[in-house]
Amino acid sequence: MAPPDTSKTTKLERYNSYIRRVNSTKLIAASSKLLFRVTLLVALLLIFFFTINYPPLSSDNNTSHSNIHTTTHNLLSSAFYGGGASWEKQVRHSSTPHRPNGLSVLVTGAAGFVGSHCSLALKKRGDGVLGLDNFNSYYDPSLKRARQDLLSKHQILIVEGDINDDELLKKLFDIVPFTHILHLAAQAGVRYAMQNPLSYVNSNVAGFVNVLEVAKAADPQPAIVWASSSSVYGLNTKVPFSEEHKTDQPASLYAATKKAGEAIAHTYNHIYGLSLTGLRFFTVYGPWGRPDMAYFFFTKDMVQGKPINVYVTQDDKEVARDFTYIDDIVKGCVGALDTAEKSTGSGGKKRGPAQLRVYNLGNTSPVSVRKLVAILENLLNVKAKKNVVKMPRNGDVPFTHANVSLALRDFGYKPTTDLSSGLRKFVKWYASYYGIQSRV
Ligand SMILES: O=C(O)[C@H]1O[C@H](OP(=O)(O)OP(=O)(O)OC[C@H]2O[C@@H](n3ccc(=O)[nH]c3=O)[C@H](O)[C@@H]2O)[C@H](O)[C@@H](O)[C@@H]1O
């Protein structure tokens, strides 16, 4: 019997094999859609979990997405950093001094203005330096990333994390017996305190206490040099400001949190034997500076032909600051580190009295804001569009003026850069960094 002619498959068989093909395609599509939905759901649950259980570590971000970003970033980075052997090797390498009796310094806020300059200066003379910074969005984080790139070229690692992350801080102290902490991480800025008050409490009070808690428990305990502020002089009228003057009239929440820091430093010195030195910076300026400060945004606005507000006091007097060039501030910070005595305690137990100091670091020659603008007009070769306005009641003070005789006596602090020379260096940097023409 001839075999059935299979060349002519019946219509039904052809239809069935078509349906089978369609169904398998549909099945693949359905399962990949399901897989995508499950993955998306897990990702959202993870973000939701981290956000609910780990509220933003630094509440100074302006938008919620950056809160989540920062929180997740900090968590992932500290979780990742918390374990990696290669990461620990990098931490040790960065922190190890390369000169006899070199320091091993944890610099908090190392991606910041003063922090990055100090880190470079310490590393260049052979000290070990490890940075810590949360790269928050108080001002343009890309400037902080650019500073980070500069530091990494000098073998300085900046760990991405927050001073409120005690697990991370303890981990760093487990890996490195830091001799010093240069604590510069803070919520800076006088006027922003009225927009985001809790950011100042979170960073300048809670953050500082957290750093001190980890330091007092360390063995050996490090010596600590930290950033206070000329703003603690507040509404004082006796000039020049001196460290023995009373400082109980802070004019801004920022100043109050720095004043609180000085009281907290006294407590941790008294109870745990921590060696603590507070530095009252006076309006620091220079290359790689902070875009939220007047000299910086005046420059930007003048270059862009935008108006600037020049403050005068309520009775129309000049507003002035003891503007201090960054290189002079760095010398002050390094001098304070080099003369800091060891902490006397270990593992949280005090073994004797410890050093407690506070110093003014200023330029000792205040200059009016109007003069600052005139210098910038000359350097930028532009005429500023000035609105002369009464200083808003936003925590600003009419003047600052530093007496630096204590810092001169104890570590040879002597400011050498006047405002014109310092602003010339700033404008030169500004032009090169932002790619604009400049005649300086
Ligand atoms: O000395 C300090 O400890 C402080 O110095 C600066 O605070 P401030 O002196 O107010 O610096 P700017 O915000 O750059 O203001 C400089 C001057 O310009 C004035 N100004 C500011 C803004 C503006 O639009 N117009 C204006 O005339 C201010 O009143 C002030 O007299 C820093 O921002 C603080 O973080 C630091 O702690």
Side-chain angles (χ1 to χ4, degrees), residues 138 187-191 228-232 254 258 280-284 290 292-298 308-312 319-321 323 369 372 389 391 394 396-400:
Y138 167 59
Q187 175 58 64
V190 173
R191 293 173 295 280
S228 180
S229 159
S230 72
S231 61
V232 301
Y254 169 71
K258 286 298 183 180
R280 293 172 178 172
F281 294 152
F282 280 68
T283 311
V284 188
R290 282 176 25 208
D292 65 311
M293 289 181 67
Y295 77 95
F296 200 117
F297 61 72
F298 280 177
I308 61 173
N309 293 329
V310 177
Y311 292 163
V312 290
V319 168
R321 285 291 183 277
F323 296 98
V369 177
L372 169 103
V389 298
M391 191 167 74
N394 60 1
D396 248 323
V397 293
F399 56 82
T400 63

Coordinates of all heavy atoms in Angstrom, one line a residue, residues 138 187-191 228-232 254 258 280-284 290 292-298 308-312 319-321 323 369 372 389 391 394 396-400, ligand 1:
Y138 N 24.0 70.6 48.1 CA 23.8 72.0 48.6 C 24.3 73.0 47.5 O 23.7 74.0 47.3 CB 24.6 72.2 49.9 CG 24.7 73.6 50.3 CD1 23.5 74.4 50.6 CD2 25.9 74.3 50.5 CE1 23.6 75.7 50.9 CE2 26.0 75.6 50.8 CZ 24.9 76.3 51.1 OH 25.0 77.7 51.4
Q187 N 27.2 71.8 57.2 CA 26.3 72.6 56.4 C 26.8 74.0 56.5 O 26.6 74.6 57.6 CB 24.9 72.4 56.8 CG 23.9 73.3 56.1 CD 23.9 73.1 54.6 OE1 23.5 72.0 54.1 NE2 24.3 74.1 53.8
A188 N 27.3 74.6 55.5 CA 27.9 76.0 55.5 C 26.8 77.0 55.0 O 25.7 76.6 54.6 CB 29.1 76.1 54.7
G189 N 27.2 78.2 55.1 CA 26.3 79.3 54.6 C 25.4 79.9 55.6 O 24.7 79.1 56.4
V190 N 25.4 81.2 55.7 CA 24.6 81.9 56.8 C 23.2 81.9 56.4 O 22.3 81.6 57.1 CB 25.2 83.3 57.0 CG1 24.4 84.1 57.9 CG2 26.6 83.2 57.5
R191 N 22.9 82.3 55.2 CA 21.5 82.7 54.8 C 20.6 81.4 54.5 O 19.4 81.4 54.8 CB 21.5 83.6 53.5 CG 22.1 85.0 53.8 CD 22.3 85.8 52.6 NE 23.3 85.2 51.7 CZ 24.6 85.3 51.9 NH1 25.1 86.0 53.0 NH2 25.5 84.7 51.1
S228 N 35.1 75.7 63.2 CA 34.1 76.6 63.7 C 33.9 77.7 62.8 O 34.1 77.5 61.6 CB 34.5 77.1 65.1 OG 33.4 77.9 65.7
S229 N 33.5 78.9 63.2 CA 33.2 80.0 62.3 C 33.3 81.3 62.9 O 32.9 81.5 64.1 CB 31.8 79.8 61.7 OG 31.2 81.0 61.2
S230 N 33.7 82.3 62.2 CA 33.7 83.7 62.7 C 32.3 84.2 63.0 O 32.1 85.1 63.8 CB 34.3 84.7 61.6 OG 33.3 84.8 60.6
S231 N 31.3 83.5 62.5 CA 29.9 83.9 62.7 C 29.5 83.7 64.2 O 28.5 84.2 64.6 CB 29.0 83.1 61.8 OG 29.1 81.7 62.1
V232 N 30.3 83.0 65.0 CA 29.9 82.8 66.4 C 30.0 84.2 67.1 O 29.4 84.4 68.2 CB 30.8 81.8 67.1 CG1 30.7 80.4 66.5 CG2 32.3 82.2 67.2
Y254 N 23.0 79.0 61.7 CA 24.3 78.5 61.3 C 25.3 78.8 62.4 O 26.0 77.9 62.9 CB 24.8 79.2 60.0 CG 26.3 78.9 59.7 CD1 26.7 77.6 59.3 CD2 27.2 79.9 59.8 CE1 28.0 77.4 59.0 CE2 28.5 79.7 59.5 CZ 28.9 78.4 59.2 OH 30.3 78.2 58.9
K258 N 27.4 76.3 65.2 CA 28.9 76.3 65.3 C 29.2 76.7 66.8 O 30.1 76.1 67.4 CB 29.5 77.4 64.4 CG 29.5 76.9 62.9 CD 30.3 75.7 62.7 CE 30.4 75.2 61.3 NZ 31.2 74.0 61.1
R280 N 38.0 79.2 63.9 CA 37.0 80.2 63.5 C 37.5 80.8 62.2 O 38.2 81.8 62.2 CB 36.8 81.2 64.6 CG 36.1 80.6 65.9 CD 36.1 81.6 67.0 NE 35.4 81.0 68.2 CZ 35.3 81.6 69.4 NH1 35.9 82.9 69.5 NH2 34.7 81.1 70.4
F281 N 37.0 80.2 61.1 CA 37.4 80.7 59.7 C 36.6 82.1 59.5 O 35.5 82.2 59.8 CB 36.9 79.8 58.6 CG 37.7 78.4 58.7 CD1 37.0 77.3 58.2 CD2 38.9 78.3 59.2 CE1 37.7 76.0 58.2 CE2 39.6 77.1 59.2 CZ 38.9 75.9 58.7
F282 N 37.3 83.0 58.8 CA 36.7 84.3 58.5 C 36.6 84.4 57.0 O 37.6 84.6 56.2 CB 37.6 85.4 59.0 CG 37.5 85.7 60.5 CD1 37.8 84.8 61.4 CD2 36.8 86.9 60.9 CE1 37.7 85.1 62.8 CE2 36.6 87.2 62.2 CZ 37.1 86.3 63.2
T283 N 35.4 84.2 56.5 CA 35.0 84.3 55.0 C 36.1 83.9 54.1 O 36.8 84.8 53.5 CB 34.5 85.8 54.7 OG1 33.6 86.2 55.7 CG2 33.9 85.9 53.4
V284 N 36.3 82.6 54.0 CA 37.4 82.1 53.2 C 37.0 82.1 51.7 O 35.9 81.8 51.3 CB 37.6 80.6 53.6 CG1 38.9 80.1 52.9 CG2 37.8 80.5 55.1
R290 N 33.4 78.1 47.0 CA 32.0 77.7 47.1 C 31.1 78.7 46.3 O 31.1 79.9 46.5 CB 31.6 77.7 48.5 CG 32.0 76.6 49.3 CD 31.6 76.7 50.8 NE 30.5 77.5 51.0 CZ 30.3 78.2 52.2 NH1 31.2 78.1 53.1 NH2 29.2 79.0 52.4
D292 N 28.1 79.3 46.5 CA 27.1 80.0 47.3 C 27.6 81.2 48.0 O 26.9 81.9 48.8 CB 26.5 79.0 48.4 CG 27.6 78.6 49.4 OD1 28.7 78.3 49.0 OD2 27.3 78.7 50.6
M293 N 28.9 81.5 47.8 CA 29.4 82.7 48.5 C 29.5 83.9 47.6 O 29.6 83.8 46.4 CB 30.8 82.4 49.1 CG 30.7 81.4 50.3 SD 32.3 81.1 51.0 CE 32.8 82.7 51.7
A294 N 29.3 85.1 48.2 CA 29.1 86.3 47.4 C 30.2 86.5 46.4 O 29.9 86.8 45.2 CB 29.0 87.5 48.3
Y295 N 31.5 86.4 46.7 CA 32.6 86.7 45.8 C 32.4 85.8 44.5 O 32.8 86.2 43.4 CB 34.0 86.5 46.4 CG 34.4 85.1 46.6 CD1 35.2 84.5 45.7 CD2 34.0 84.3 47.7 CE1 35.6 83.2 45.8 CE2 34.4 83.0 47.8 CZ 35.1 82.4 46.9 OH 35.5 81.1 47.0
F296 N 31.9 84.6 44.7 CA 31.8 83.6 43.6 C 30.6 83.9 42.8 O 30.7 84.1 41.5 CB 31.7 82.2 44.2 CG 32.0 81.1 43.3 CD1 33.0 80.2 43.5 CD2 31.2 80.8 42.2 CE1 33.3 79.1 42.7 CE2 31.5 79.8 41.3 CZ 32.5 78.9 41.6
F297 N 29.4 84.1 43.4 CA 28.3 84.4 42.5 C 28.2 85.8 42.0 O 27.7 86.1 40.9 CB 26.9 83.9 43.1 CG 26.5 84.6 44.4 CD1 26.0 85.9 44.4 CD2 26.5 83.9 45.6 CE1 25.6 86.5 45.6 CE2 26.1 84.5 46.8 CZ 25.6 85.8 46.8
F298 N 28.9 86.7 42.7 CA 29.1 88.1 42.1 C 29.8 87.9 40.8 O 29.5 88.5 39.7 CB 29.9 89.0 43.0 CG 29.1 89.6 44.1 CD1 29.7 90.4 45.1 CD2 27.7 89.4 44.3 CE1 29.0 91.0 46.1 CE2 27.0 90.0 45.3 CZ 27.7 90.7 46.3
I308 N 23.7 92.5 40.7 CA 24.1 91.9 42.0 C 23.5 92.8 43.1 O 23.3 94.0 42.9 CB 25.6 91.8 42.1 CG1 26.3 93.1 42.0 CG2 26.2 90.8 41.1 CD1 27.8 93.1 42.3
N309 N 23.3 92.2 44.2 CA 22.8 93.0 45.4 C 23.9 93.3 46.3 O 24.5 92.3 46.9 CB 21.7 92.2 46.1 CG 20.4 92.1 45.3 OD1 20.1 92.9 44.4 ND2 19.7 90.9 45.5
V310 N 24.3 94.5 46.5 CA 25.3 94.9 47.4 C 24.7 95.4 48.7 O 23.9 96.4 48.7 CB 26.2 96.0 46.8 CG1 27.3 96.5 47.8 CG2 26.9 95.5 45.5
Y311 N 24.9 94.6 49.8 CA 24.2 94.9 51.0 C 24.9 96.2 51.7 O 26.1 96.3 51.6 CB 24.3 93.8 52.0 CG 23.6 92.5 51.6 CD1 23.8 91.3 52.2 CD2 22.5 92.6 50.6 CE1 23.1 90.2 51.8 CE2 21.8 91.4 50.3 CZ 22.1 90.2 50.9 OH 21.5 89.1 50.5
V312 N 24.0 96.9 52.3 CA 24.5 98.0 53.3 C 23.7 97.8 54.5 O 22.7 97.1 54.5 CB 24.3 99.4 52.7 CG1 25.2 99.7 51.6 CG2 22.8 99.6 52.3
V319 N 28.9 97.3 54.5 CA 29.0 95.9 55.1 C 30.4 95.4 54.8 O 30.8 95.6 53.6 CB 27.9 95.0 54.6 CG1 28.2 93.6 54.9 CG2 26.5 95.5 55.1
A320 N 31.1 94.8 55.7 CA 32.5 94.4 55.5 C 32.8 93.0 56.0 O 32.1 92.6 57.0 CB 33.4 95.5 56.1
R321 N 33.8 92.4 55.5 CA 34.2 91.1 55.9 C 35.8 91.1 56.0 O 36.4 91.7 55.2 CB 33.7 90.0 55.0 CG 32.3 89.6 55.1 CD 32.0 89.0 56.5 NE 30.6 88.6 56.6 CZ 29.6 89.4 57.0 NH1 29.9 90.7 57.2 NH2 28.4 89.0 57.0
F323 N 37.9 89.1 54.7 CA 38.1 88.0 53.7 C 39.4 87.4 53.8 O 40.5 88.1 53.9 CB 37.9 88.6 52.3 CG 36.5 89.2 52.0 CD1 36.3 90.5 52.1 CD2 35.5 88.3 51.6 CE1 35.0 91.0 51.8 CE2 34.2 88.8 51.4 CZ 34.0 90.2 51.5
V369 N 32.1 95.2 51.1 CA 31.6 94.5 49.9 C 31.7 95.4 48.7 O 32.0 94.9 47.6 CB 30.1 94.1 50.2 CG1 29.5 93.4 49.0 CG2 30.1 93.1 51.4
L372 N 35.1 95.0 47.4 CA 35.2 93.7 46.8 C 34.7 93.8 45.3 O 35.3 93.3 44.4 CB 34.4 92.7 47.6 CG 34.2 91.3 46.9 CD1 35.2 90.3 47.5 CD2 32.8 90.8 47.0
V389 N 21.2 97.4 48.4 CA 20.0 97.1 49.2 C 20.4 96.9 50.7 O 21.5 96.6 51.0 CB 19.4 95.8 48.7 CG1 18.9 95.9 47.3 CG2 20.3 94.6 48.9
M391 N 20.7 95.2 54.1 CA 21.0 93.8 54.4 C 19.7 93.2 55.0 O 19.2 93.7 55.9 CB 22.1 93.8 55.4 CG 22.7 92.4 55.7 SD 24.3 92.6 56.6 CE 23.6 93.0 58.2
N394 N 18.5 88.3 57.7 CA 18.6 86.8 57.4 C 19.8 86.1 58.1 O 20.3 85.1 57.7 CB 18.8 86.6 55.9 CG 20.1 87.3 55.5 OD1 20.8 87.9 56.3 ND2 20.4 87.3 54.2
D396 N 22.7 87.6 58.6 CA 24.0 88.3 58.2 C 24.4 89.3 59.3 O 23.5 89.8 60.0 CB 23.8 89.0 56.9 CG 24.5 88.4 55.8 OD1 25.7 87.9 56.1 OD2 24.1 88.3 54.6
V397 N 25.7 89.5 59.4 CA 26.2 90.5 60.4 C 26.9 91.6 59.6 O 27.3 91.4 58.5 CB 27.1 89.9 61.4 CG1 26.4 88.9 62.3 CG2 28.3 89.2 60.7
P398 N 26.9 92.9 60.1 CA 27.5 94.0 59.4 C 29.0 93.9 59.1 O 29.4 94.3 58.1 CB 27.1 95.2 60.2 CG 26.8 94.7 61.6 CD 26.3 93.3 61.4
F399 N 29.7 93.3 60.0 CA 31.2 93.2 59.8 C 31.8 92.1 60.5 O 31.2 91.6 61.5 CB 31.8 94.6 60.2 CG 31.6 94.9 61.6 CD1 32.3 94.3 62.7 CD2 30.5 95.7 61.9 CE1 32.0 94.6 64.0 CE2 30.2 96.0 63.3 CZ 31.0 95.5 64.3
T400 N 33.0 91.7 60.1 CA 33.8 90.8 60.9 C 35.3 91.3 60.8 O 35.6 92.0 59.8 CB 33.8 89.3 60.4 OG1 34.4 89.3 59.0 CG2 32.4 88.7 60.4
Ligands
LIG1 O1 33.2 83.8 58.1 C1 32.6 82.8 58.2 O2 32.6 82.0 59.1 C2 31.5 82.5 57.1 O3 31.9 83.2 55.9 C3 30.9 83.1 54.9 O4 29.8 83.8 55.3 P1 29.7 85.3 54.8 O5 30.8 86.1 55.4 O6 28.3 85.8 55.0 O7 30.1 85.2 53.3 P2 29.2 85.6 52.0 O8 27.9 84.8 52.1 O9 30.1 85.3 50.8 O10 28.9 87.1 52.1 C4 30.1 88.0 52.0 C5 29.6 89.4 52.2 O11 28.7 89.8 51.1 C6 27.5 90.3 51.6 N1 26.5 89.9 50.6 C7 26.1 88.6 50.5 C8 25.2 88.3 49.5 C9 24.7 89.3 48.6 O12 23.8 89.0 47.7 N2 25.1 90.6 48.8 C10 26.0 90.9 49.7 O13 26.4 92.1 49.9 C11 27.3 89.6 53.0 O14 26.5 90.4 53.8 C12 28.7 89.6 53.5 O15 29.0 90.8 54.1 C13 30.6 81.6 54.6 O16 29.5 81.6 53.7 C14 30.3 80.9 55.9 O17 30.1 79.5 55.6 C15 31.4 81.1 56.8 O18 31.2 80.3 58.0

